[in-house]
Structures are given as structure tokens and as C-alpha cells.
Amino acid sequence: LRNSLLPQMVDTLGQNRARQVQDAAFFEIGRVFFVPDAAAAAGHIVDRPPAGPAAAEARPAAEMDVLAVGLMGAAGRPPLDQRRPVQDEEAWLWLKGILENLCRMMKFDLPGNARGPFHAAALRLAPAEEAPSGFDWPNRAAFAPGRGFAVLLDGRPIGRAGLIRPGLRQEWRIHEPLAAAELAVAPLLA
């Protein structure tokens, strides 16, 4: 049972790199499992294991559908501009653009925009240090320092996004940035 789609996303990107694929953009919608607690009841993504065998019996696992997105290489560039090395900021901006387009398609307001005619929810990306105090931050170690963000919808955390830390990329011999995001699906469809 998976408690996050991010490890599988990084593994998929790494396996593609091992097969000489230089550029890739993937998404996956899947189910994750967690032990419910006060944070999960508030809609936060959690991946804490139970405190012990008795705790696991007292609180059965809950499940949630999650969307994961992963980018590797120059996946966001036009074909004639593929040779230049990808920089961290460029990979992050492609991922941010994907999240913004998702919001536009779902009719959510984007950061800095006035409320639209649909009074849609507002999406905001907050640095990990500014995430709400109740936000449990699973896979924090997967993101590079200062490159992990909480994804907030109307001020409530619904996921995380950022650049994968260099040590994790090196395991797959990937030297350019990997950008990844994981979002709960239910708040996006509500």
C-alpha cells in the first residue's frame, strides 16, 4: 500500500533515463493509504505510520485519490531548443505552469487575480516554511532545500510540489532538475 505517489514517479523518471530517454513528462492518478487523524480530517495529506500495532488496529487505514506529475529534461521546450542544459528555475516554472493550467481548466483563480465570475477557489504555492502549522509534510526529504512548496487551495493544503533533491536524482544518474508535484484529487473536484 502506497502512502505517496512521489517515490514511484521519481522511479519511473529514473527508469526512463536509464533507457536513454532524455526528456519526459508523466502524470499518474492513484490511490494512497494513510492512518486518519486530526490532520487528515482537516483535509491534509499525511503519511505517518501508526504508533504501534495497537494503534493500527484502533484506527483502520483510510484512502485518498492523488494526482502526481513529474518532469525531467527539456520536456517544456520547443524542439529546436533542446540542447541547452535545463536550469532549476526553468524546471520549476514548467511544473508551476502545469499547475496553473490545471487551475485554469478547473476554473480556479490563479494567484494575484481577482475573484472570477465563478467565485472559484484560489490556488497558492507557499514555501515549506510558510505552510500552515497543521500541514503534515510527508516526503519533505525528497525535495531540495528551499525548493519544496505546499500547494494551498483557499488556504488549505491539498498537496506539495517542488524540485527533487540532487542526492535522489544522482541515484538514477540524472544530473538536471526533476520537478514533481502531488495533489489530492477530491478538493480539485469539489
PDB file of all heavy atoms in Angstrom, residues 141-174:
ATOM      1  N   ALA A 141      11.987  15.233   2.730  1.00  0.00           N
ATOM      2  CA  ALA A 141      13.382  14.962   2.374  1.00  0.00           C
ATOM      3  C   ALA A 141      13.564  14.733   0.871  1.00  0.00           C
ATOM      4  O   ALA A 141      14.670  14.796   0.377  1.00  0.00           O
ATOM      5  CB  ALA A 141      13.891  13.752   3.147  1.00  0.00           C
ATOM      6  N   ALA A 142      12.491  14.494   0.144  1.00  0.00           N
ATOM      7  CA  ALA A 142      12.598  14.277  -1.296  1.00  0.00           C
ATOM      8  C   ALA A 142      12.903  15.575  -2.042  1.00  0.00           C
ATOM      9  O   ALA A 142      13.490  15.555  -3.112  1.00  0.00           O
ATOM     10  CB  ALA A 142      11.316  13.661  -1.846  1.00  0.00           C
ATOM     11  N   PHE A 143      12.503  16.708  -1.476  1.00  0.00           N
ATOM     12  CA  PHE A 143      12.682  17.981  -2.156  1.00  0.00           C
ATOM     13  C   PHE A 143      13.991  18.640  -1.755  1.00  0.00           C
ATOM     14  O   PHE A 143      14.434  18.535  -0.622  1.00  0.00           O
ATOM     15  CB  PHE A 143      11.511  18.916  -1.854  1.00  0.00           C
ATOM     16  CG  PHE A 143      10.207  18.425  -2.411  1.00  0.00           C
ATOM     17  CD1 PHE A 143       9.193  17.995  -1.574  1.00  0.00           C
ATOM     18  CD2 PHE A 143      10.003  18.376  -3.775  1.00  0.00           C
ATOM     19  CE1 PHE A 143       8.002  17.535  -2.089  1.00  0.00           C
ATOM     20  CE2 PHE A 143       8.812  17.913  -4.306  1.00  0.00           C
ATOM     21  CZ  PHE A 143       7.801  17.492  -3.456  1.00  0.00           C
ATOM     22  N   ALA A 144      14.596  19.342  -2.705  1.00  0.00           N
ATOM     23  CA  ALA A 144      15.828  20.080  -2.440  1.00  0.00           C
ATOM     24  C   ALA A 144      15.549  21.177  -1.418  1.00  0.00           C
ATOM     25  O   ALA A 144      14.443  21.735  -1.397  1.00  0.00           O
ATOM     26  CB  ALA A 144      16.352  20.689  -3.740  1.00  0.00           C
ATOM     27  N   PRO A 145      16.510  21.490  -0.567  1.00  0.00           N
ATOM     28  CA  PRO A 145      16.301  22.550   0.431  1.00  0.00           C
ATOM     29  C   PRO A 145      15.882  23.861  -0.231  1.00  0.00           C
ATOM     30  O   PRO A 145      16.496  24.304  -1.195  1.00  0.00           O
ATOM     31  CB  PRO A 145      17.667  22.686   1.103  1.00  0.00           C
ATOM     32  CG  PRO A 145      18.346  21.377   0.860  1.00  0.00           C
ATOM     33  CD  PRO A 145      17.836  20.883  -0.463  1.00  0.00           C
ATOM     34  N   GLY A 146      14.817  24.444   0.267  1.00  0.00           N
ATOM     35  CA  GLY A 146      14.305  25.696  -0.282  1.00  0.00           C
ATOM     36  C   GLY A 146      13.559  25.542  -1.588  1.00  0.00           C
ATOM     37  O   GLY A 146      13.147  26.525  -2.191  1.00  0.00           O
ATOM     38  N   ARG A 147      13.368  24.309  -2.046  1.00  0.00           N
ATOM     39  CA  ARG A 147      12.702  24.064  -3.344  1.00  0.00           C
ATOM     40  C   ARG A 147      11.421  23.248  -3.203  1.00  0.00           C
ATOM     41  O   ARG A 147      10.918  22.727  -4.179  1.00  0.00           O
ATOM     42  CB  ARG A 147      13.649  23.320  -4.294  1.00  0.00           C
ATOM     43  CG  ARG A 147      14.945  24.015  -4.551  1.00  0.00           C
ATOM     44  CD  ARG A 147      14.746  25.248  -5.364  1.00  0.00           C
ATOM     45  NE  ARG A 147      16.043  25.787  -5.739  1.00  0.00           N
ATOM     46  CZ  ARG A 147      16.188  26.747  -6.609  1.00  0.00           C
ATOM     47  NH1 ARG A 147      15.153  27.278  -7.178  1.00  0.00           N
ATOM     48  NH2 ARG A 147      17.379  27.191  -6.886  1.00  0.00           N
ATOM     49  N   GLY A 148      10.903  23.124  -1.979  1.00  0.00           N
ATOM     50  CA  GLY A 148       9.647  22.418  -1.749  1.00  0.00           C
ATOM     51  C   GLY A 148       8.559  23.414  -1.391  1.00  0.00           C
ATOM     52  O   GLY A 148       8.794  24.375  -0.655  1.00  0.00           O
ATOM     53  N   PHE A 149       7.360  23.195  -1.907  1.00  0.00           N
ATOM     54  CA  PHE A 149       6.254  24.125  -1.709  1.00  0.00           C
ATOM     55  C   PHE A 149       4.995  23.373  -1.323  1.00  0.00           C
ATOM     56  O   PHE A 149       4.741  22.276  -1.814  1.00  0.00           O
ATOM     57  CB  PHE A 149       5.983  24.914  -2.999  1.00  0.00           C
ATOM     58  CG  PHE A 149       7.114  25.794  -3.399  1.00  0.00           C
ATOM     59  CD1 PHE A 149       8.180  25.292  -4.126  1.00  0.00           C
ATOM     60  CD2 PHE A 149       7.134  27.125  -3.026  1.00  0.00           C
ATOM     61  CE1 PHE A 149       9.241  26.099  -4.485  1.00  0.00           C
ATOM     62  CE2 PHE A 149       8.192  27.939  -3.375  1.00  0.00           C
ATOM     63  CZ  PHE A 149       9.247  27.429  -4.103  1.00  0.00           C
ATOM     64  N   ALA A 150       4.200  23.987  -0.463  1.00  0.00           N
ATOM     65  CA  ALA A 150       2.867  23.477  -0.158  1.00  0.00           C
ATOM     66  C   ALA A 150       1.917  24.060  -1.193  1.00  0.00           C
ATOM     67  O   ALA A 150       2.006  25.248  -1.521  1.00  0.00           O
ATOM     68  CB  ALA A 150       2.443  23.889   1.246  1.00  0.00           C
ATOM     69  N   VAL A 151       1.026  23.246  -1.715  1.00  0.00           N
ATOM     70  CA  VAL A 151       0.010  23.716  -2.654  1.00  0.00           C
ATOM     71  C   VAL A 151      -1.253  23.947  -1.833  1.00  0.00           C
ATOM     72  O   VAL A 151      -1.776  23.016  -1.222  1.00  0.00           O
ATOM     73  CB  VAL A 151      -0.241  22.684  -3.776  1.00  0.00           C
ATOM     74  CG1 VAL A 151      -1.298  23.197  -4.736  1.00  0.00           C
ATOM     75  CG2 VAL A 151       1.051  22.372  -4.514  1.00  0.00           C
ATOM     76  N   LEU A 152      -1.720  25.199  -1.808  1.00  0.00           N
ATOM     77  CA  LEU A 152      -2.871  25.580  -0.997  1.00  0.00           C
ATOM     78  C   LEU A 152      -4.042  25.931  -1.897  1.00  0.00           C
ATOM     79  O   LEU A 152      -3.875  26.615  -2.906  1.00  0.00           O
ATOM     80  CB  LEU A 152      -2.538  26.780  -0.119  1.00  0.00           C
ATOM     81  CG  LEU A 152      -1.276  26.680   0.737  1.00  0.00           C
ATOM     82  CD1 LEU A 152      -0.982  28.005   1.404  1.00  0.00           C
ATOM     83  CD2 LEU A 152      -1.414  25.580   1.749  1.00  0.00           C
ATOM     84  N   LEU A 153      -5.220  25.488  -1.525  1.00  0.00           N
ATOM     85  CA  LEU A 153      -6.447  25.837  -2.227  1.00  0.00           C
ATOM     86  C   LEU A 153      -7.354  26.494  -1.202  1.00  0.00           C
ATOM     87  O   LEU A 153      -7.747  25.847  -0.224  1.00  0.00           O
ATOM     88  CB  LEU A 153      -7.095  24.585  -2.817  1.00  0.00           C
ATOM     89  CG  LEU A 153      -8.289  24.796  -3.727  1.00  0.00           C
ATOM     90  CD1 LEU A 153      -7.885  25.610  -4.958  1.00  0.00           C
ATOM     91  CD2 LEU A 153      -8.868  23.464  -4.161  1.00  0.00           C
ATOM     92  N   ASP A 154      -7.633  27.762  -1.385  1.00  0.00           N
ATOM     93  CA  ASP A 154      -8.378  28.557  -0.399  1.00  0.00           C
ATOM     94  C   ASP A 154      -7.752  28.468   0.982  1.00  0.00           C
ATOM     95  O   ASP A 154      -8.432  28.339   1.998  1.00  0.00           O
ATOM     96  CB  ASP A 154      -9.838  28.126  -0.343  1.00  0.00           C
ATOM     97  CG  ASP A 154     -10.688  28.853  -1.368  1.00  0.00           C
ATOM     98  OD1 ASP A 154     -10.215  29.870  -1.919  1.00  0.00           O
ATOM     99  OD2 ASP A 154     -11.821  28.420  -1.618  1.00  0.00           O
ATOM    100  N   GLY A 155      -6.424  28.487   1.024  1.00  0.00           N
ATOM    101  CA  GLY A 155      -5.705  28.473   2.288  1.00  0.00           C
ATOM    102  C   GLY A 155      -5.525  27.104   2.921  1.00  0.00           C
ATOM    103  O   GLY A 155      -4.846  26.970   3.920  1.00  0.00           O
ATOM    104  N   ARG A 156      -6.122  26.070   2.354  1.00  0.00           N
ATOM    105  CA  ARG A 156      -5.993  24.710   2.883  1.00  0.00           C
ATOM    106  C   ARG A 156      -5.002  23.924   2.047  1.00  0.00           C
ATOM    107  O   ARG A 156      -5.085  23.912   0.818  1.00  0.00           O
ATOM    108  CB  ARG A 156      -7.343  23.985   2.827  1.00  0.00           C
ATOM    109  CG  ARG A 156      -8.297  24.432   3.908  1.00  0.00           C
ATOM    110  CD  ARG A 156      -9.581  23.619   3.947  1.00  0.00           C
ATOM    111  NE  ARG A 156      -9.343  22.204   3.839  1.00  0.00           N
ATOM    112  CZ  ARG A 156     -10.070  21.388   3.072  1.00  0.00           C
ATOM    113  NH1 ARG A 156     -11.053  21.849   2.345  1.00  0.00           N
ATOM    114  NH2 ARG A 156      -9.806  20.104   3.036  1.00  0.00           N
ATOM    115  N   PRO A 157      -4.051  23.223   2.673  1.00  0.00           N
ATOM    116  CA  PRO A 157      -3.080  22.436   1.906  1.00  0.00           C
ATOM    117  C   PRO A 157      -3.762  21.253   1.205  1.00  0.00           C
ATOM    118  O   PRO A 157      -4.546  20.530   1.820  1.00  0.00           O
ATOM    119  CB  PRO A 157      -2.110  21.921   2.968  1.00  0.00           C
ATOM    120  CG  PRO A 157      -2.413  22.675   4.205  1.00  0.00           C
ATOM    121  CD  PRO A 157      -3.800  23.192   4.100  1.00  0.00           C
ATOM    122  N   ILE A 158      -3.484  21.116  -0.084  1.00  0.00           N
ATOM    123  CA  ILE A 158      -4.012  19.966  -0.827  1.00  0.00           C
ATOM    124  C   ILE A 158      -2.878  19.145  -1.442  1.00  0.00           C
ATOM    125  O   ILE A 158      -3.141  18.124  -2.069  1.00  0.00           O
ATOM    126  CB  ILE A 158      -5.001  20.390  -1.934  1.00  0.00           C
ATOM    127  CG1 ILE A 158      -4.305  21.255  -2.989  1.00  0.00           C
ATOM    128  CG2 ILE A 158      -6.199  21.096  -1.343  1.00  0.00           C
ATOM    129  CD1 ILE A 158      -5.088  21.367  -4.271  1.00  0.00           C
ATOM    130  N   GLY A 159      -1.641  19.583  -1.273  1.00  0.00           N
ATOM    131  CA  GLY A 159      -0.542  18.823  -1.846  1.00  0.00           C
ATOM    132  C   GLY A 159       0.783  19.529  -1.684  1.00  0.00           C
ATOM    133  O   GLY A 159       0.915  20.465  -0.903  1.00  0.00           O
ATOM    134  N   ARG A 160       1.740  19.058  -2.452  1.00  0.00           N
ATOM    135  CA  ARG A 160       3.096  19.598  -2.392  1.00  0.00           C
ATOM    136  C   ARG A 160       3.700  19.535  -3.794  1.00  0.00           C
ATOM    137  O   ARG A 160       3.293  18.720  -4.621  1.00  0.00           O
ATOM    138  CB  ARG A 160       3.929  18.820  -1.408  1.00  0.00           C
ATOM    139  CG  ARG A 160       3.947  17.337  -1.698  1.00  0.00           C
ATOM    140  CD  ARG A 160       4.390  16.561  -0.470  1.00  0.00           C
ATOM    141  NE  ARG A 160       3.961  15.187  -0.576  1.00  0.00           N
ATOM    142  CZ  ARG A 160       2.851  14.711  -0.034  1.00  0.00           C
ATOM    143  NH1 ARG A 160       2.063  15.495   0.630  1.00  0.00           N
ATOM    144  NH2 ARG A 160       2.526  13.454  -0.157  1.00  0.00           N
ATOM    145  N   ALA A 161       4.675  20.406  -4.017  1.00  0.00           N
ATOM    146  CA  ALA A 161       5.345  20.452  -5.312  1.00  0.00           C
ATOM    147  C   ALA A 161       6.761  20.967  -5.084  1.00  0.00           C
ATOM    148  O   ALA A 161       7.034  21.626  -4.090  1.00  0.00           O
ATOM    149  CB  ALA A 161       4.601  21.386  -6.263  1.00  0.00           C
ATOM    150  N   GLY A 162       7.642  20.667  -6.007  1.00  0.00           N
ATOM    151  CA  GLY A 162       8.998  21.181  -5.883  1.00  0.00           C
ATOM    152  C   GLY A 162       9.990  20.446  -6.756  1.00  0.00           C
ATOM    153  O   GLY A 162       9.611  19.646  -7.620  1.00  0.00           O
ATOM    154  N   LEU A 163      11.252  20.724  -6.505  1.00  0.00           N
ATOM    155  CA  LEU A 163      12.353  20.091  -7.232  1.00  0.00           C
ATOM    156  C   LEU A 163      12.952  18.996  -6.351  1.00  0.00           C
ATOM    157  O   LEU A 163      13.218  19.219  -5.171  1.00  0.00           O
ATOM    158  CB  LEU A 163      13.421  21.120  -7.587  1.00  0.00           C
ATOM    159  CG  LEU A 163      12.967  22.246  -8.519  1.00  0.00           C
ATOM    160  CD1 LEU A 163      14.093  23.235  -8.732  1.00  0.00           C
ATOM    161  CD2 LEU A 163      12.464  21.703  -9.834  1.00  0.00           C
ATOM    162  N   ILE A 164      13.164  17.846  -6.935  1.00  0.00           N
ATOM    163  CA  ILE A 164      13.716  16.698  -6.207  1.00  0.00           C
ATOM    164  C   ILE A 164      15.181  16.979  -5.888  1.00  0.00           C
ATOM    165  O   ILE A 164      15.920  17.499  -6.722  1.00  0.00           O
ATOM    166  CB  ILE A 164      13.566  15.407  -7.050  1.00  0.00           C
ATOM    167  CG1 ILE A 164      12.087  15.171  -7.401  1.00  0.00           C
ATOM    168  CG2 ILE A 164      14.162  14.209  -6.336  1.00  0.00           C
ATOM    169  CD1 ILE A 164      11.163  14.967  -6.233  1.00  0.00           C
ATOM    170  N   ARG A 165      15.592  16.614  -4.682  1.00  0.00           N
ATOM    171  CA  ARG A 165      16.956  16.921  -4.221  1.00  0.00           C
ATOM    172  C   ARG A 165      18.000  16.185  -5.076  1.00  0.00           C
ATOM    173  O   ARG A 165      17.745  15.084  -5.593  1.00  0.00           O
ATOM    174  CB  ARG A 165      17.125  16.594  -2.747  1.00  0.00           C
ATOM    175  CG  ARG A 165      17.067  15.147  -2.407  1.00  0.00           C
ATOM    176  CD  ARG A 165      17.241  14.943  -0.897  1.00  0.00           C
ATOM    177  NE  ARG A 165      16.836  13.625  -0.523  1.00  0.00           N
ATOM    178  CZ  ARG A 165      17.605  12.546  -0.626  1.00  0.00           C
ATOM    179  NH1 ARG A 165      18.824  12.653  -1.087  1.00  0.00           N
ATOM    180  NH2 ARG A 165      17.156  11.362  -0.267  1.00  0.00           N
ATOM    181  N   PRO A 166      19.174  16.797  -5.226  1.00  0.00           N
ATOM    182  CA  PRO A 166      20.220  16.223  -6.085  1.00  0.00           C
ATOM    183  C   PRO A 166      20.640  14.804  -5.706  1.00  0.00           C
ATOM    184  O   PRO A 166      20.865  13.976  -6.581  1.00  0.00           O
ATOM    185  CB  PRO A 166      21.394  17.193  -5.924  1.00  0.00           C
ATOM    186  CG  PRO A 166      20.756  18.481  -5.546  1.00  0.00           C
ATOM    187  CD  PRO A 166      19.551  18.114  -4.721  1.00  0.00           C
ATOM    188  N   GLY A 167      20.743  14.488  -4.414  1.00  0.00           N
ATOM    189  CA  GLY A 167      21.154  13.141  -4.000  1.00  0.00           C
ATOM    190  C   GLY A 167      20.220  12.057  -4.509  1.00  0.00           C
ATOM    191  O   GLY A 167      20.651  10.977  -4.901  1.00  0.00           O
ATOM    192  N   LEU A 168      18.939  12.344  -4.528  1.00  0.00           N
ATOM    193  CA  LEU A 168      17.953  11.383  -5.027  1.00  0.00           C
ATOM    194  C   LEU A 168      18.049  11.251  -6.545  1.00  0.00           C
ATOM    195  O   LEU A 168      17.928  10.154  -7.089  1.00  0.00           O
ATOM    196  CB  LEU A 168      16.557  11.844  -4.607  1.00  0.00           C
ATOM    197  CG  LEU A 168      15.438  10.845  -4.546  1.00  0.00           C
ATOM    198  CD1 LEU A 168      15.805   9.645  -3.691  1.00  0.00           C
ATOM    199  CD2 LEU A 168      14.189  11.500  -4.001  1.00  0.00           C
ATOM    200  N   ARG A 169      18.293  12.366  -7.226  1.00  0.00           N
ATOM    201  CA  ARG A 169      18.460  12.322  -8.688  1.00  0.00           C
ATOM    202  C   ARG A 169      19.702  11.538  -9.070  1.00  0.00           C
ATOM    203  O   ARG A 169      19.705  10.811 -10.067  1.00  0.00           O
ATOM    204  CB  ARG A 169      18.577  13.740  -9.250  1.00  0.00           C
ATOM    205  CG  ARG A 169      17.347  14.565  -9.088  1.00  0.00           C
ATOM    206  CD  ARG A 169      17.445  15.894  -9.813  1.00  0.00           C
ATOM    207  NE  ARG A 169      18.776  16.434  -9.914  1.00  0.00           N
ATOM    208  CZ  ARG A 169      19.138  17.642  -9.508  1.00  0.00           C
ATOM    209  NH1 ARG A 169      18.261  18.444  -8.946  1.00  0.00           N
ATOM    210  NH2 ARG A 169      20.369  18.075  -9.664  1.00  0.00           N
ATOM    211  N   GLN A 170      20.771  11.681  -8.289  1.00  0.00           N
ATOM    212  CA  GLN A 170      22.038  11.017  -8.602  1.00  0.00           C
ATOM    213  C   GLN A 170      21.908   9.498  -8.576  1.00  0.00           C
ATOM    214  O   GLN A 170      22.638   8.804  -9.282  1.00  0.00           O
ATOM    215  CB  GLN A 170      23.122  11.452  -7.618  1.00  0.00           C
ATOM    216  CG  GLN A 170      23.430  12.939  -7.640  1.00  0.00           C
ATOM    217  CD  GLN A 170      23.990  13.414  -8.958  1.00  0.00           C
ATOM    218  OE1 GLN A 170      24.665  12.685  -9.657  1.00  0.00           O
ATOM    219  NE2 GLN A 170      23.705  14.659  -9.302  1.00  0.00           N
ATOM    220  N   GLU A 171      20.989   8.978  -7.763  1.00  0.00           N
ATOM    221  CA  GLU A 171      20.791   7.532  -7.722  1.00  0.00           C
ATOM    222  C   GLU A 171      20.421   6.983  -9.104  1.00  0.00           C
ATOM    223  O   GLU A 171      20.684   5.823  -9.402  1.00  0.00           O
ATOM    224  CB  GLU A 171      19.696   7.173  -6.717  1.00  0.00           C
ATOM    225  CG  GLU A 171      20.100   7.413  -5.285  1.00  0.00           C
ATOM    226  CD  GLU A 171      18.983   7.104  -4.305  1.00  0.00           C
ATOM    227  OE1 GLU A 171      18.063   6.333  -4.665  1.00  0.00           O
ATOM    228  OE2 GLU A 171      19.035   7.616  -3.177  1.00  0.00           O
ATOM    229  N   TRP A 172      19.781   7.832  -9.922  1.00  0.00           N
ATOM    230  CA  TRP A 172      19.395   7.431 -11.280  1.00  0.00           C
ATOM    231  C   TRP A 172      20.293   8.064 -12.334  1.00  0.00           C
ATOM    232  O   TRP A 172      19.974   8.033 -13.510  1.00  0.00           O
ATOM    233  CB  TRP A 172      17.940   7.817 -11.528  1.00  0.00           C
ATOM    234  CG  TRP A 172      16.999   6.960 -10.768  1.00  0.00           C
ATOM    235  CD1 TRP A 172      16.343   7.276  -9.623  1.00  0.00           C
ATOM    236  CD2 TRP A 172      16.614   5.631 -11.092  1.00  0.00           C
ATOM    237  NE1 TRP A 172      15.576   6.219  -9.209  1.00  0.00           N
ATOM    238  CE2 TRP A 172      15.723   5.194 -10.105  1.00  0.00           C
ATOM    239  CE3 TRP A 172      16.940   4.752 -12.115  1.00  0.00           C
ATOM    240  CZ2 TRP A 172      15.147   3.940 -10.104  1.00  0.00           C
ATOM    241  CZ3 TRP A 172      16.363   3.494 -12.122  1.00  0.00           C
ATOM    242  CH2 TRP A 172      15.479   3.105 -11.127  1.00  0.00           C
ATOM    243  N   ARG A 173      21.392   8.663 -11.913  1.00  0.00           N
ATOM    244  CA  ARG A 173      22.322   9.335 -12.831  1.00  0.00           C
ATOM    245  C   ARG A 173      21.627  10.437 -13.640  1.00  0.00           C
ATOM    246  O   ARG A 173      21.880  10.614 -14.830  1.00  0.00           O
ATOM    247  CB  ARG A 173      22.990   8.325 -13.762  1.00  0.00           C
ATOM    248  CG  ARG A 173      23.862   7.345 -13.025  1.00  0.00           C
ATOM    249  CD  ARG A 173      24.622   6.462 -13.990  1.00  0.00           C
ATOM    250  NE  ARG A 173      25.457   5.546 -13.253  1.00  0.00           N
ATOM    251  CZ  ARG A 173      25.178   4.257 -13.114  1.00  0.00           C
ATOM    252  NH1 ARG A 173      24.121   3.741 -13.660  1.00  0.00           N
ATOM    253  NH2 ARG A 173      25.987   3.485 -12.419  1.00  0.00           N
ATOM    254  N   ILE A 174      20.752  11.140 -12.969  1.00  0.00           N
ATOM    255  CA  ILE A 174      20.072  12.284 -13.577  1.00  0.00           C
ATOM    256  C   ILE A 174      20.748  13.528 -13.021  1.00  0.00           C
ATOM    257  O   ILE A 174      20.761  13.743 -11.815  1.00  0.00           O
ATOM    258  CB  ILE A 174      18.559  12.281 -13.244  1.00  0.00           C
ATOM    259  CG1 ILE A 174      17.907  11.008 -13.794  1.00  0.00           C
ATOM    260  CG2 ILE A 174      17.892  13.522 -13.814  1.00  0.00           C
ATOM    261  CD1 ILE A 174      16.469  10.823 -13.374  1.00  0.00           C
TER     262      ILE A 174
END
